[in-house]
Amino acid sequence: MTSLFARLLCLCLLLSGPAWSQDGPQLNLQRVGISAGMHLIQAQIAATPQERTVGLMFRKEMPTNEGMLFVFEQPSTQCFWMKNTLLPLTAAFLSDDGTIVNLVDMQPQSLDSHCSVRPVRYVLEMHQGWFDKRGIKAGMRLGGAPFGR
């Protein structure tokens, strides 16, 4: 009987989903290094629908050179909003090779929609002004494993 209970408990834990709450920050996501010229970004990867939905919601702080890379299955026009997001962010919409298609500043807790100007598969969110302060603009190319370099 104890063995059956243990198996049922394990099954329930497996089916309960990821180890983060939908109303709290995702802190245990995979990370990837991304280069932006001479700057190195440590980005958490949001690749599943659940991870992308929560994104950076409810975070009160984030280290300066960290961000979140949203990865989609295929290129499409991607639109983001800031519901329940407390930090001002800049979204870099990226083509498959890491080229910045466009950059958009987003205000905390706003329902305004911010979209890519053409289909993209990646979106990198960083602190608002991070790209601007480093002279990184649309047309520049980021490097790293997600972009094949």
Side-chain angles (χ1 to χ4, degrees):
M1 187 67 161
T2 303
S3 177
L4 177 61
F5 176 75
R7 281 189 237 160
L8 287 174
L9 179 61
C10 287
L11 181 61
C12 287
L13 289 173
L14 286 173
L15 295 176
S16 67
W20 44 266
S21 164
Q22 289 220 359
D23 61 357
Q26 308 178 90
L27 300 173
N28 297 319
L29 298 176
Q30 273 190 304
R31 293 177 181 269
V32 65
I34 296 173
S35 61
M38 61 184 242
H39 306 283
L40 182 60
I41 299 165
Q42 286 299 314
Q44 292 183 317
I45 301 172
T48 69
Q50 285 179 320
E51 292 166 350
R52 290 190 302 257
T53 297
V54 175
L56 290 170
M57 286 183 180
F58 305 104
R59 298 234 184 139
K60 294 179 182 170
E61 57 187 34
M62 182 171 68
T64 302
N65 293 315
E66 286 196 12
M68 183 169 281
L69 181 67
F70 295 81
V71 179
F72 296 88
E73 289 76 22
Q74 58 190 6
S76 179
T77 299
Q78 305 298 340
C79 294
F80 280 58
W81 63 351
M82 297 283 284
K83 181 180 179 181
N84 299 320
T85 305
L86 309 175
L87 301 169
L89 301 172
T90 299
F93 296 94
L94 308 169
S95 63
D96 282 356
D97 70 355
T99 300
I100 300 172
V101 172
N102 62 302
L103 293 160
V104 180
D105 286 342
M106 303 183 297
Q107 298 307 312
Q109 300 189 28
S110 168
L111 298 180
D112 294 341
S113 187
H114 305 281
C115 302
S116 60
V117 295
R118 67 175 193 255
V120 297
R121 194 157 61 110
Y122 302 102
V123 180
L124 176 62
E125 288 184 342
M126 297 291 291
H127 283 287
Q128 192 171 99
W130 190 93
F131 296 100
D132 192 45
K133 287 176 187 169
R134 290 157 182 82
I136 299 168
K137 302 181 181 317
M140 297 179 88
R141 195 167 167 190
L142 304 183
F147 319 120
R149 44 183 223 132

